[in-house]
Amino acid sequence: MINQKIEDALNRQINLEQSSAQLYLAMSAHCEAKSFRGFAQWLRLQAQEETTHALKLVTFVLDRGGRLDLRAIEAPPKEFGTITQLFEQVLEHERKITGTINALFECSRQEKDFASEITLQWYVTEQVEEEATAGQILDQLRAIGEKGGGIWYLDSKLGKRGAK
Ligand code: FEO
């Protein structure tokens, strides 16, 4: 069984992961519209990953005999500015998610819900990677700027994400 507090918190996190998927899909379309197909591909895969994050938590809630409480998914912004500004928003968003995961982890510890704590460990580790990756892309964008050919090289490199 799962207690109400943890169940609510997990349902909120499921919603946040789905909102993340929605956000990255909107960002992907924004890049596509500017012909940056590599950034678009990277963000589309990121959106898929976020759906996976949500589904893992859905499975966990149901396995624990909890109730799935799906909520409205926040609409993403319509504009993201330059590619550099867009990745600033990715990093900022991932930092926000890290905060919610950490709070959830702390809550499961306080409630002595060991199964939740162990499951959430995966998310704590994942957030380290999520922030590091977004931070690296942002550093590269800031270093090369958006005027020369460097950004097209980075676009092509990120477009290989997921390629066999
Ligand atoms: Fe599911 Fe990017 O955090």
Side-chain angles (χ1 to χ4, degrees), residues 17 46 50 53 94 97 127 130:
E17 300 291 345
Q46 193 62 27
E50 299 300 351
H53 295 173
E94 286 303 330
I97 297 296
Q127 282 312 118
E130 295 273 70

Side-chain angles (χ1 to χ4, degrees), residues 46-142:
Q46 193 62 27
Q48 283 176 9
E49 244 190 39
E50 299 300 351
T51 299
T52 307
H53 295 173
L55 290 177
K56 274 167 87 106
L57 290 177
V58 168
T59 302
F60 180 71
V61 167
L62 296 176
D63 282 351
R64 299 284 308 283
R67 187 178 54 94
L68 183 62
D69 178 20
L70 293 176
R71 298 145 195 218
I73 300 170
E74 194 184 343
K78 302 243 181 289
E79 241 323 304
F80 298 100
T82 65
I83 299 294
T84 307
Q85 287 166 342
L86 183 148
F87 273 92
E88 280 169 356
Q89 292 162 70
V90 171
L91 181 57
E92 190 186 323
H93 182 75
E94 286 303 330
R95 285 177 174 157
K96 185 182 111 184
I97 297 296
T98 299
T100 62
I101 291 289
N102 288 347
L104 192 46
F105 187 91
E106 193 177 6
C107 176
S108 64
R109 187 164 276 190
Q110 280 167 356
E111 296 294 312
K112 297 195 189 322
D113 185 331
F114 304 119
S116 292
E117 190 175 321
I118 288 166
T119 295
L120 288 166
Q121 262 178 19
W122 182 88
Y123 287 84
V124 171
T125 307
E126 175 71 6
Q127 282 312 118
V128 174
E129 192 189 311
E130 295 273 70
E131 281 193 39
T133 308
Q136 278 160 13
I137 295 171
L138 188 54
D139 283 346
Q140 288 169 5
L141 280 165
R142 283 174 177 156

